[in-house]
Amino acid sequence: MKIVVVGVQGDVEEHVITAKLALKRLGLDGEVTATRRAGVVPKSDVIIIPGGESTTISKLIWEDGIAEEIIEASEEGKPIMGTCAGLIVLAKHGDEQVERTKTKLLGLLNVKVKRNAFGRQRESFEVDLDVKGIGKYRAVFIRAPAVVDVGKDVDVLATFEDKIVAVRQGKILGLAFHPELTGDTRIHEYLIKLRET
């Protein structure tokens, strides 16, 4: 099992550590690496796009040829997870901020996202969510986006304050929060197990 964290920007090392721990807890042999270059994603079984700044992440993955590799990995049925900014990058549609910054999205999740959906006054907070397939989960939100519209092929996994904060479409997960910052590996385990479905 090879897991790659797209390491152009954001919480890269935290995802690497959490994914390694998830493999260990599942009793699986594998390796987790971060990459900033093309050629690594095609050799991987599971792909993670971390949080950070969506405009920067998008710009770098398209410039470096990683974006096309992620799209191909999706077509091959490999599990992919985007967290916070990674959710925005995976989406098919963005809000006016995404359009204004000319952020080029991957278009793999049939959703529309809104950047900074919880407002400046609540840039960072923690809350207990009920996540479908996981259970009660303490989620960390940092200047988080939210999903404001979903296609019929998208399964809503969690909501908070009437906002959609976790979705799944096939083997693609999109989360508005940061599972790599909690010490709870269940979401990474869930992602890894999608390989077998």
Side-chain angles (χ1 to χ4, degrees), residues 49 61-62 67-68 70-71 88-91 104-108:
I49 307 170
I61 63 173
W62 285 102
E68 292 87 350
I70 296 169
I71 293 167
I88 298 168
V89 172
L90 280 174
K104 189 175 180 183
L105 306 178
L106 291 169
L108 297 177

Side-chain angles (χ1 to χ4, degrees), residues 33-64:
T33 56
T35 188
R36 290 172 177 245
R37 57 186 176 80
V40 180
V41 167
K43 298 172 189 163
S44 304
D45 302 298
V46 177
I47 298 108
I48 298 171
I49 307 170
E53 209 290 304
S54 56
T55 308
T56 304
I57 293 170
S58 169
K59 181 172 179 284
L60 293 172
I61 63 173
W62 285 102
E63 280 180 2
D64 297 342

Side-chain angles (χ1 to χ4, degrees), residues 55 94-104 115-116 120:
T55 308
D95 62 3
E96 61 281 353
Q97 276 185 286
V98 171
E99 290 173 14
R100 192 168 61 246
T101 54
K102 294 183 170 58
T103 304
K104 189 175 180 183
R115 286 175 53 168
N116 302 328
R120 298 274 178 214

Side-chain angles (χ1 to χ4, degrees), residues 165-191:
V165 294
V167 293
R168 174 182 167 188
Q169 181 181 339
K171 294 187 182 182
I172 303 175
L173 290 180
L175 309 176
F177 50 92
H178 290 264
E180 75 284 3
L181 298 179
T182 63
D184 186 335
T185 60
R186 287 178 295 159
I187 284 176
H188 286 73
E189 291 173 35
Y190 180 89
L191 175 71

Side-chain angles (χ1 to χ4, degrees), residues 137-151:
Y137 188 89
R138 187 74 176 170
V140 177
F141 289 80
I142 303 170
R143 290 187 64 206
V147 173
V148 293
D149 192 28
V150 297

